[in-house]
Amino acid sequence: MTEKAATPLLLLHPSRGLIDEKFSLMVQNLSQIQEITLHALIHSDDGDYWEAFGHYVSDATGLVNVANDSSLGGTYDGVKPMGLLWSMRPVPGSRIGLRLRKKEVHTPMLVHISVYRGHMSQGFKEQVALASVVTERWYMSPGVRRVDITEGGITGTLFLPPGPGPFPALLDLWGGGGGLVEYRSALLSSHGFVSLALEYMTPRTSGGTDIGFCSYLNSAAFTVLKQHPQVCGDRIAILGLSFGTSVALGMAVYSTVIQPRCLVCVSGSHVQPVKGSLSDVFSEINKNVHNTRYDEENRVIWRDLLLPIPTDPTKKVDVGQLKCPVLMIVGEDDQNWPATESAEDMKQMMEKAGNSHLLTTLSYPGAGHLIEPPYSPHIRASNFMVAGTRQKFVVLWGGETAPHGYAQEDSWKKTLSFLEEHLYRSTEVTSPSNL
């Protein structure tokens, strides 16, 4: 009488964790040298499905260990323990220009992971999985509190770590699409920082897109943080992505209210009319609108609109006046902003001014514009609506999947170290160490 084959077993640990936490994944009880496909599936808050998959072969004991074994194909290859997350893409037949962003941060991202017989690249719904598990990926750790803020003329969401505090804090600024984006702030709070995600450049924030009003909003937001009883008022940083970097740099240099302990600037530029309005910024950009390019799929490439980097000092933030440490994060394949050229010009300006010791630049080959928390899918292009004009485009952000995934993981780890150094450990503003 033949012995019945054991049922394949899919083991994942931890089954619940933060979005930036690694997991271990193994498949046991396979046949020797058996071909399998590991498949991950997410149903997003927008109602779309995203997937990733890798092709593996079990060893002589019938085991696949994703931490050690190489994917032979799929949406990623090689030994990539978290490839099932950062290589995710919309399933075939999805809407054009999707971007995976968590809207409801008080609920987890549910990732369904299954193992299938053979090396598959499509038709997963039509097949029966050998085994399946579900993992919860959270932006909010247990005990983090989410508080709506509508005071002092600002609209935003405050995230507070567990405990009485006081804690260091961050003002979290997103890009030119405007709106209120919470997931990064929720994750920062899960790492021990009070974080205020600020809504700006939208009709609901009554000043709309006027940069003067944006400056007011950010001054008011900074004051809200500074006066909060659970915040260390002299330990506040600003984190900006894309246009949020421009706002952060401008405020740090020219505001009489805002005195950040440090800045984190992701995929941005210092090029903007000094003390100008947002209409002035767009006017400068529109002067170069003829430099707009399109790729073979007619996706918009905007990186040339700020090039060449101006030599006129009235057209860029005088970063030589910065008095706090700055971490610049740059994707070398950024197709939306000239982040590489801007970082180099900032370095030259600060060297000339004698404050270059305050600047640390992390530059990543093959990374694009949208450098997100780790294990987020690489978004090479997506739909984008310009705040103010409400014009819609499919924008090319740039980057290649594997190097972009590395950039997200490495830069996030170094961002948290940078913030811990200057907000928790530092007793005075010092030059950043080599990260």
Side-chain angles (χ1 to χ4, degrees):
M1 186 174 179
T2 59
E3 186 175 323
K4 185 178 179 180
T7 301
L9 184 62
L10 190 55
L11 301 175
L12 184 147
H13 180 81
S15 59
R16 172 177 177 160
L18 287 176
I19 203 80
D20 59 355
E21 185 177 355
K22 286 187 176 182
F23 56 57
S24 64
L25 182 64
M26 294 188 293
V27 189
Q28 296 179 341
N29 298 342
L30 296 167
S31 301
Q32 296 180 9
I33 321 302
Q34 180 178 345
E35 294 184 348
I36 63 164
T37 299
L38 280 167
H39 179 260
L41 185 70
I42 286 176
H43 189 205
S44 75
D45 288 351
D46 292 319
D48 301 293
Y49 287 93
W50 293 67
E51 69 174 359
F53 54 92
H55 297 157
Y56 291 88
V57 177
S58 64
D59 64 13
T61 69
L63 173 71
V64 167
N65 185 345
V66 173
N68 302 321
D69 297 338
S70 181
S71 169
L72 305 178
T75 55
Y76 63 100
D77 54 33
V79 180
K80 303 292 191 307
M82 302 302 290
L84 282 172
L85 295 185
W86 54 252
S87 73
M88 279 205 164
R89 62 192 186 188
V91 300
S94 296
R95 296 178 293 141
I96 298 298
L98 296 179
R99 181 176 175 185
L100 184 60
R101 305 179 87 178
K102 193 79 177 78
K103 293 182 176 179
E104 305 296 336
V105 295
H106 60 281
T107 63
M109 187 91 78
L110 297 178
V111 185
H112 298 258
I113 299 178
S114 303
V115 56
Y116 293 89
R117 189 183 308 276
H119 286 168
M120 299 175 56
S121 297
Q122 58 186 356
F124 293 97
K125 288 195 302 183
E126 287 74 41
Q127 299 298 318
V128 177
L130 298 175
S132 297
V133 294
V134 178
T135 177
E136 295 183 2
R137 308 288 291 175
W138 289 84
Y139 285 95
M140 286 179 65
S141 65
V144 170
R145 289 166 291 155
R146 178 189 176 279
V147 181
D148 293 323
I149 299 293
T150 53
E151 61 182 82
I154 68 169
T155 301
T157 307
L158 187 68
F159 291 91
L160 298 161
F167 304 99
L170 291 103
L171 181 58
D172 187 11
L173 304 176
W174 286 82
L180 177 60
V181 184
E182 297 184 353
Y183 57 88
R184 187 171 62 192
S185 276
L187 187 58
L188 286 165
S189 192
S190 297
H191 286 281
F193 304 98
V194 173
S195 187
L196 176 58
L198 184 65
E199 179 175 355
Y200 69 127
M201 297 204 305
T202 65
R204 191 166 73 151
T205 53
S206 57
T209 58
D210 179 77
I211 194 66
F213 188 76
C214 287
S215 296
Y216 162 71
L217 279 178
N218 288 290
S219 296
F222 200 84
T223 301
V224 166
L225 280 175
K226 192 172 183 178
Q227 295 178 351
H228 195 282
Q230 289 183 266
V231 168
C232 300
D234 61 344
R235 293 174 179 266
I236 302 175
I238 306 176
L239 190 158
L241 170 73
S242 191
F243 184 71
T245 285
S246 303
V247 176
L249 289 170
M251 289 191 301
V253 171
Y254 301 118
S255 173
T256 58
V257 176
I258 296 172
Q259 296 178 330
R261 178 62 70 95
C262 61
L263 301 178
V264 178
C265 298
V266 185
S267 303
S269 177
H270 61 316
V271 176
Q272 58 175 292
V274 174
K275 300 183 180 179
S277 68
L278 187 56
S279 61
D280 293 331
V281 175
F282 287 141
S283 293
E284 286 294 317
I285 291 174
N286 287 335
K287 289 178 182 178
N288 290 332
V289 72
H290 58 279
N291 290 334
T292 299
R293 292 186 285 125
Y294 300 86
D295 73 350
E296 65 280 357
E297 298 182 38
N298 206 37
R299 299 177 295 193
V300 177
I301 299 172
W302 276 329
R303 74 178 313 277
D304 297 338
L305 299 190
L306 294 179
L307 292 175
I309 301 295
T311 56
D312 184 346
T314 68
K315 294 185 177 181
K316 54 189 178 182
V317 176
D318 184 4
V319 292
Q321 295 186 46
L322 282 168
K323 296 180 175 62
C324 67
V326 181
L327 178 64
M328 290 290 296
I329 298 171
V330 173
E332 294 180 15
D333 190 41
D334 191 330
Q335 297 298 311
N336 189 245
W337 284 76
T340 298
E341 294 89 341
S342 296
E344 180 58 34
D345 190 65
M346 286 178 58
K347 178 183 177 183
Q348 292 176 12
M349 292 176 67
M350 294 176 74
E351 285 176 346
K352 185 176 180 180
N355 64 342
S356 62
H357 63 283
L358 296 174
L359 177 65
T360 298
T361 301
L362 304 176
S363 188
Y364 296 97
H369 184 71
L370 297 180
I371 299 177
E372 299 261 38
Y375 318 130
S376 303
H378 166 232
I379 308 299
R380 181 166 173 78
S382 70
N383 298 321
F384 181 77
M385 181 182 292
V386 180
T389 66
R390 311 306 289 170
Q391 289 179 280
K392 295 181 180 180
F393 303 90
V394 177
V395 172
L396 183 69
W397 306 112
E400 300 297 331
T401 301
H404 191 89
Y406 169 79
Q408 293 189 149
E409 182 175 359
D410 187 72
S411 65
W412 182 254
K413 176 181 66 175
K414 291 174 179 175
T415 293
L416 293 178
S417 295
F418 179 82
L419 293 173
E420 182 179 343
E421 176 184 355
H422 296 293
L423 296 182
Y424 267 108
R425 295 202 299 265
S426 174
T427 56
E428 60 182 3
V429 178
T430 58
S431 59
S433 59
N434 293 325
L435 297 177

